[in-house]
Amino acid sequence: MKGRHRSAGSSGGALKLGAATVAVLVVLAGSWYAFRKYSQPSCGNAAKLSIGAPADIVPALKAQATEWSERAKVGHNCVDIEVFEEDPADVAAALAGKANKALTGVGQANGKTRIPDVWVADSSLWLQRLHAADAQSVPADAKSIALSPLVLAMPEPIATTFGWPQKEITYPDLIGKVATDQKVKVGIVEPSRDATGLGGLLTLAAAAQAAGGGDATQATQAATAALRALAAGRSSLRADLMQKFPRGGDATALSGGLSVAPLSEQAVIQYNGQQPPVRLAALYAEPAAPALDYPYAVLGNDKASIANELLKSLDSQGFRDKLGAIGLRGADGTAGKGFQTPANAPAALAAAQPPDAAAVEGLLTKWQAITLPARMLAVIDVSGSMLEPVPTAGGATRMQVTLEAARKGMSLFDDSWALGVWVFSTLLDGNKDYKQLVPIGPLASQRTQCLQALSTIQPKRNGDTALYDTILAAYKAVQQGYESGRVNSIIVMTDGENDDPAGGLSLEQLIAELKKTADPAKPIQVILIGIGNKVGEAQMRQITDAIGGGTFVAPDPAKIGDIFLQAIALRGQGAQPK
């Protein structure tokens, strides 16, 4: 018993000693922690960095930024990184607006749009378009941090009719199918504001152009038909487009739903991940369309050091795995852990070189011309100077190149358009300086009439240019039959300054009369196109600035076709009087 008693006493002493030891260790650990905390440099104020990116990549960026910032320091400062969602089109519009520029079809930025320190757009096409508009607005180049190839998304039962998954599909295959099978319904997200839509538009339009072979007329017709087919199935938002795919596998559902649309590989992966009634096939068609490549653009120099340090961490397997979990590939085209590879997908992909910026804007102007419903009065100068030959057009006259531009432009307008044709000079119709050839009416019923009228136009050899009186008369004519829901506009093509021997309106009188006539509830765009180097550009700009619209000048009349398309595209910019 005594031994057990001593043992118990020894045990109690040992417990006390152990507790004391633990207490000492705790105190020492706390002291060491305090020593470490206060002997090391203070964190100081947090260095902040904001990153704006599309919803597609935000989850991976947030996770990586949080992980990196927990151990990162800049000098004595910790790093606080905010990653937020921002529509690339809105950021692009905001950056363009800062430089007093506008991108075709993009319009104004959302009033809540933030310009971040680092902009991760979904495609380099945005940087290219901005750089072409204003070289200072964005960096000339930016490193890609992720990749999602553009595919043709197609319900699997329909894809099998194209030979999927065994056969390699080409864009010409699709063009041929669309041209011969009315059951094939093509969709697209508005390409002027969506990179997947733009990439698909560029590739499909090029394939259609090539389908015309060496015949320029056939090539133009094929490309126009393709653009019209896309326009008929366009959606403003990607989510809306996805809802158009068939919700059932029976013949009725398949024929009533969307057949095919250019989308990102990620969009197809995420759609199928929701277990839809009909899965989508991802067709990796040739030639490859411009992929979403997620460029990392540092805007400004004040946060460049932090931004560039974070960028280094985005070139890691850890970030690639985070991308893979949300259906994106690494910048080199390889997939990280968790990536759900679609059937028949290449193991690795590389971003294709984006097309020339001028080609992009040129195609978007055509797209705008086709897609915006319009009611337009075309007014063409037939004064004597329109007989002058154009050396760069093989000796064709100014009148001839202008009429050819008008004919080509009209070929882009579908039957939903309303169009009228006037000509003007001096004393063309009694005492009037202008003459109506075709009243404004639907092209569905008077396309042939308009084309015939263009073919009969001849310059008045000794005629002058009563420009101001004609503009006012045309404005009133368009206003009289105004149609809501359409872009009501006047397009005047002239090669000279106002020159009316009978007097007529002065510039100041014209502007005053236009302002007095204008009705804010019935906005009318006045689009003036100057042909050659003798136009009164300054006076023309005063008119369009005052009443709303735009002035375009083609010093080389041979370029009037390109200028005509740019002018038509203005209808989507919402020009207002200044």
Side-chain angles (χ1 to χ4, degrees):
M1 292 291 292
K2 291 180 180 179
R4 291 175 66 183
H5 177 74
R6 284 194 301 271
S7 175
S10 300
S11 175
L15 287 171
K16 290 179 181 178
L17 178 61
T21 302
V22 170
V24 170
L25 289 173
V26 168
V27 171
L28 288 174
S31 300
W32 175 248
Y33 172 78
F35 171 76
R36 291 274 296 174
K37 179 178 179 181
Y38 292 106
S39 65
Q40 288 184 343
S42 171
C43 189
N45 296 321
K48 297 182 180 296
L49 181 73
S50 63
I51 302 176
D56 309 352
I57 196 173
V58 161
L61 273 175
K62 275 188 176 180
Q64 185 69 19
T66 299
E67 183 180 299
W68 178 81
S69 62
E70 286 177 350
R71 61 178 184 273
K73 278 191 176 182
V74 177
H76 296 312
N77 294 330
C78 297
V79 180
D80 180 11
I81 301 177
E82 178 191 11
V83 180
F84 58 91
E85 291 183 16
E86 201 68 89
D87 184 350
D90 283 334
V91 178
L95 289 170
K98 282 183 64 178
N100 294 318
K101 302 289 184 180
L103 301 182
T104 303
V106 174
Q108 301 293 321
N110 184 309
K112 298 179 180 179
T113 300
R114 292 172 57 189
I115 297 178
D117 300 319
V118 175
W119 179 33
V120 178
D122 53 2
S123 171
S124 291
L125 287 170
W126 286 115
L127 300 186
Q128 185 187 55
R129 294 179 67 188
L130 279 165
H131 199 262
D134 177 61
Q136 305 303 315
S137 60
V138 289
D141 55 3
K143 186 177 180 180
S144 171
I145 62 170
L147 192 73
S148 190
L150 225 63
V151 300
L152 292 175
M154 193 177 291
E156 288 186 352
I158 296 176
T160 58
T161 67
F162 280 78
W164 175 86
Q166 292 80 18
K167 180 185 175 183
E168 290 189 3
I169 309 300
T170 68
Y171 277 89
D173 290 337
L174 176 61
I175 295 296
K177 192 80 168 177
V178 170
T180 58
D181 189 348
Q182 294 183 349
K183 295 180 181 179
V184 176
K185 297 178 181 178
V186 184
I188 194 169
V189 188
E190 174 56 50
S192 57
R193 291 186 56 89
D194 183 88
T196 59
L198 179 54
L201 178 69
L202 288 162
T203 310
L204 283 164
Q209 186 82 18
D215 188 304
T217 300
Q218 289 184 6
T220 300
Q221 290 174 347
T224 300
L227 294 183
R228 284 181 176 168
L230 288 172
R234 75 189 185 279
S235 297
S236 297
L237 300 173
R238 193 181 309 173
D240 295 339
L241 181 77
M242 304 301 282
Q243 291 298 317
K244 294 181 180 179
F245 283 112
R247 311 304 294 177
D250 58 283
T252 301
L254 290 174
S255 62
L258 187 63
S259 305
V260 61
L263 288 169
S264 69
E265 180 185 64
Q266 182 197 36
V268 174
I269 291 172
Q270 292 184 341
Y271 183 88
N272 288 339
Q274 298 170 4
Q275 303 299 317
V278 180
R279 289 172 57 85
L280 293 180
L283 278 59
Y284 297 80
E286 292 294 335
L292 300 187
D293 59 342
Y294 299 92
Y296 185 94
V298 181
L299 306 179
N301 297 321
D302 55 332
K303 303 291 180 68
S305 59
I306 308 175
N308 290 330
E309 286 300 314
L310 173 62
L311 177 60
K312 294 176 184 177
S313 80
L314 302 180
D315 187 18
S316 65
Q317 186 60 45
F319 183 59
R320 187 177 288 105
D321 291 343
K322 293 179 180 68
L323 293 171
I326 59 173
L328 290 172
R329 296 170 181 259
D332 61 357
T334 59
K337 293 178 182 177
F339 185 80
Q340 300 295 315
T341 308
N344 211 34
L349 292 159
Q353 192 70 19
D356 177 71
V360 172
E361 293 305 312
L363 182 58
L364 284 174
T365 57
K366 290 182 181 179
W367 175 258
Q368 290 287 300
I370 288 172
T371 57
L372 286 172
R375 177 176 176 271
M376 175 179 287
L377 177 59
V379 184
I380 301 172
D381 187 349
V382 292
S383 60
S385 56
M386 292 292 281
L387 288 166
E388 289 189 20
V390 179
T392 53
T397 65
R398 290 180 177 178
M399 187 83 266
Q400 289 170 326
V401 296
T402 300
L403 293 176
E404 181 61 20
R407 278 190 289 267
K408 286 183 177 179
M410 202 174 83
S411 70
L412 296 174
F413 310 157
D414 65 22
D415 288 346
S416 68
W417 277 60
L419 182 68
V421 181
W422 284 16
V423 291
F424 79 99
S425 176
T426 47
L427 303 177
L428 280 187
D429 187 11
N431 290 326
K432 292 192 296 186
D433 298 316
Y434 49 88
K435 183 176 182 180
Q436 176 179 280
L437 300 185
V438 182
I440 301 175
L443 276 177
S445 59
Q446 62 181 39
R447 185 182 295 273
T448 300
Q449 187 180 356
C450 288
L451 288 170
Q452 288 176 343
L454 291 176
S455 69
T456 63
I457 291 176
Q458 295 290 334
K460 182 178 180 180
R461 188 165 294 275
N462 297 315
D464 291 304
T465 309
L467 179 62
Y468 297 163
D469 285 4
T470 300
I471 290 174
L472 181 61
Y475 191 95
K476 290 180 176 179
V478 172
Q479 188 183 62
Q480 186 176 8
Y482 188 90
E483 291 185 32
S484 59
R486 293 175 179 264
V487 179
N488 291 255
S489 58
I490 303 159
I491 184 165
V492 181
M493 292 173 276
T494 181
D495 74 338
E497 299 179 298
N498 182 68
D499 179 18
D500 186 357
L505 295 168
S506 67
L507 177 63
E508 293 73 18
Q509 289 172 330
L510 169 64
I511 291 174
E513 285 294 320
L514 286 171
K515 287 185 174 181
K516 184 169 67 175
T517 305
D519 181 351
K522 298 179 179 180
I524 296 170
Q525 284 194 329
V526 177
I527 300 170
L528 305 180
I529 299 181
I531 306 164
N533 54 12
K534 296 181 180 179
V535 297
E537 181 176 358
Q539 294 84 355
M540 291 163 67
R541 291 194 184 280
Q542 287 185 57
I543 297 167
T544 54
D545 284 350
I547 199 62
T551 293
F552 300 81
V553 176
D556 179 358
K559 304 294 184 182
I560 183 63
D562 295 337
I563 296 296
F564 183 84
L565 288 174
Q566 291 176 28
I568 295 299
L570 176 69
R571 297 173 308 116
Q573 305 302 315
Q576 296 294 329
K578 294 183 180 179

